[in-house]
Amino acid sequence: MFLHYRKVVSPVKWTSGERQSRLLVDPVIEMPLNAKKPKKERLLFHVAMSGEDTPYSKWQSRIMYYWYKKKKDLPGSEMGKFTRILHSGNPDNLMDEIPTFVVDPLPEGVDRGYVVLNRPWAFVQWLNKATIEEEYILMAEPDHIFTKPLPNLAYEGYPAAFPFFYIKPVKYEKIIRKFFPEEMGPVTNIDPIGNSPVIIKRDLLEKIAPTWMNVSLRMKNDPESDKKFGWVLEMYAYAVASALHGVQHILRKDFMLQPPWDMETGNKFILHYTYGCDYNLKGELLSGEIGDWRFDKRLYLDGPPPRNLSMPPQGVPESVVTLIKLINEATGNLPNWDALEEVKPNSS
């Protein structure tokens, strides 16, 4: 496959000020000046969550969809319809519970054990084949929980994204230049983001997605980038692909929180439970140790966590307490939660 680069020079100026100081006073790190104009219309976005047919992915998807339904129609929400993009190639036992669009996985062996590599290919297929009513799309993941009604944080040609502290294009400029040549501009044009969470206009994503797929595959096949980027390789690929198309993102720190490092839920819209939470009985966070109290989604690779998880000890940050409360509410209301059903694709 060949990449087709398109350079677009943005005419806007970015707001000034030191990035660190902005974090203390304003959840918007970088925003085009003309994007600060107030919106006059309600702009719905389609929630698109890619996933697998594994028990691990499915129980997270059920919780995610539960909270989507709880927040979708509340005041302030601009959440439209929902699609789980299932990249297994076959229907599974959640088809009747969660609106699902089945797409093909990459050819056998192409992902080389890195299943996330299927995500950009899944989005390419979905965008090409599905009927999507909304003009905007939120790319989300199974381990996201909506804590508040989510408005459309994007502004026309400027998607909204969450800045990840560990995505550092400048640090890896030598590697990045293999995929983002000098004639495309400085490496600082690449945002410190992944593809999720991102709210973006559908037509922009249709342009970016094939490049995102191709850059992901090229990075995976490059030993240096594969080694350095590891499990976040596909995130770097999306950031690079966006920059290749001249797309800059509005960076929103309030888009998402990640316990246990973010201690307060505050005004964040999405809770991302990717990190393990280990605490002793004094409520102290343990690093690299198994705690007296713990929650780690990776403990439940083969089936769902039990209903009514024990609450953390006193003194544990509010974000972790909120996480367990949200999971417990969902599992307490979802039917057949404890059933370990095998995936049975429809014979048709």
Side-chain angles (χ1 to χ4, degrees):
M1 299 181 184
F2 294 93
L3 290 171
H4 299 282
Y5 299 136
R6 181 175 66 90
K7 184 175 182 180
V8 177
V9 180
S10 174
V12 302
K13 300 290 185 182
W14 293 89
T15 50
S16 61
E18 291 297 320
R19 178 166 296 200
Q20 293 302 321
S21 62
R22 288 296 301 277
L23 291 179
L24 300 176
V25 298
D26 190 346
V28 182
I29 301 176
E30 291 182 356
M31 176 182 283
L33 293 176
N34 64 357
K36 287 183 176 288
K37 297 175 182 177
K39 292 188 300 184
K40 295 182 179 180
E41 56 183 320
R42 192 163 179 257
L43 298 173
L44 296 181
F45 56 85
H46 195 104
V47 179
M49 176 194 72
S50 63
E52 308 166 58
D53 62 359
T54 63
Y56 178 65
S57 181
K58 290 198 289 185
W59 68 256
Q60 294 174 57
S61 298
R62 296 188 74 193
I63 293 173
M64 197 278 196
Y65 186 59
Y66 173 88
W67 283 107
Y68 156 81
K69 292 191 294 182
K70 292 276 287 189
K71 304 299 182 183
K72 175 182 180 294
D73 296 321
L74 295 180
S77 168
E78 291 181 284
M79 302 159 77
K81 293 183 178 180
F82 186 102
T83 298
R84 177 180 63 136
I85 307 172
L86 180 62
H87 51 73
S88 65
N90 295 296
D92 66 6
N93 59 351
L94 293 184
M95 302 294 291
D96 293 333
E97 179 177 338
I98 305 176
T100 300
F101 192 93
V102 180
V103 297
D104 293 326
L106 289 167
E108 185 175 357
V110 172
D111 67 15
R112 292 166 49 203
Y114 179 55
V115 70
V116 185
L117 209 59
N118 286 279
R119 183 179 294 148
W121 173 222
F123 270 95
V124 168
Q125 295 174 82
W126 177 65
L127 291 164
N128 285 336
K129 298 177 182 179
T131 299
I132 306 164
E133 297 177 5
E134 297 86 350
E135 186 180 4
Y136 289 81
I137 291 170
L138 164 66
M139 291 187 282
E141 297 181 20
D143 59 356
H144 287 176
I145 295 177
F146 294 103
T147 59
K148 293 176 55 182
L150 180 59
N152 190 336
L153 303 176
Y155 184 86
E156 296 185 348
Y158 296 94
F162 176 79
F164 290 91
F165 71 89
Y166 50 78
I167 301 297
K168 301 176 179 180
V170 174
K171 179 179 178 180
Y172 299 108
E173 179 169 1
K174 180 182 176 182
I175 299 175
I176 291 292
R177 282 302 185 195
K178 296 181 182 182
F179 315 98
F180 189 75
E182 290 189 9
E183 59 266 27
M184 299 304 299
V187 172
T188 51
N189 285 352
I190 301 172
D191 294 323
I193 61 173
N195 83 290
S196 178
V198 167
I199 300 177
I200 185 171
K201 288 190 79 171
R202 186 179 67 245
D203 60 352
L204 272 183
L205 185 56
E206 287 170 349
K207 295 174 183 177
I208 293 171
T211 309
W212 171 31
M213 179 188 71
N214 288 335
V215 173
S216 295
L217 291 170
R218 288 182 58 201
M219 285 185 171
K220 187 62 181 174
N221 288 319
D222 176 76
E224 189 177 20
S225 60
D226 186 29
K227 180 179 179 180
K228 288 294 184 182
F229 297 156
W231 66 276
V232 297
L233 179 147
E234 165 267 343
M235 297 173 68
Y236 271 100
Y238 176 79
V240 169
S242 299
L244 287 171
H245 285 278
V247 176
Q248 295 175 292
H249 294 70
I250 301 168
L251 304 182
R252 299 282 305 229
K253 283 289 290 182
D254 60 344
F255 209 156
M256 190 167 73
L257 73 146
Q258 302 184 100
W261 312 115
D262 296 309
M263 296 187 180
E264 301 294 332
T265 305
N267 292 319
K268 308 293 179 67
F269 296 103
I270 293 173
L271 189 154
H272 182 210
Y273 56 101
T274 188
Y275 296 106
C277 301
D278 282 89
Y279 290 87
N280 62 25
L281 296 180
K282 297 179 181 179
E284 298 169 334
L285 179 64
L286 303 177
S287 179
E289 300 180 45
I290 296 177
D292 298 303
W293 181 93
R294 69 185 320 222
F295 175 79
D296 188 332
K297 65 178 185 176
R298 295 163 189 83
L299 295 172
Y300 307 103
L301 295 175
D302 299 322
R307 286 183 163 130
N308 196 29
L309 292 168
S310 65
M311 296 304 296
Q314 187 174 358
V316 167
E318 181 263 346
S319 63
V320 180
V321 175
T322 298
L323 167 61
I324 302 304
K325 286 181 178 179
L326 295 176
I327 290 176
N328 281 347
E329 177 178 332
T331 60
N333 287 283
L334 288 167
N336 302 316
W337 179 253
D338 297 318
L340 294 177
E341 301 178 55
E342 294 293 329
V343 178
K344 297 180 180 179
N346 294 341
S347 57
S348 58

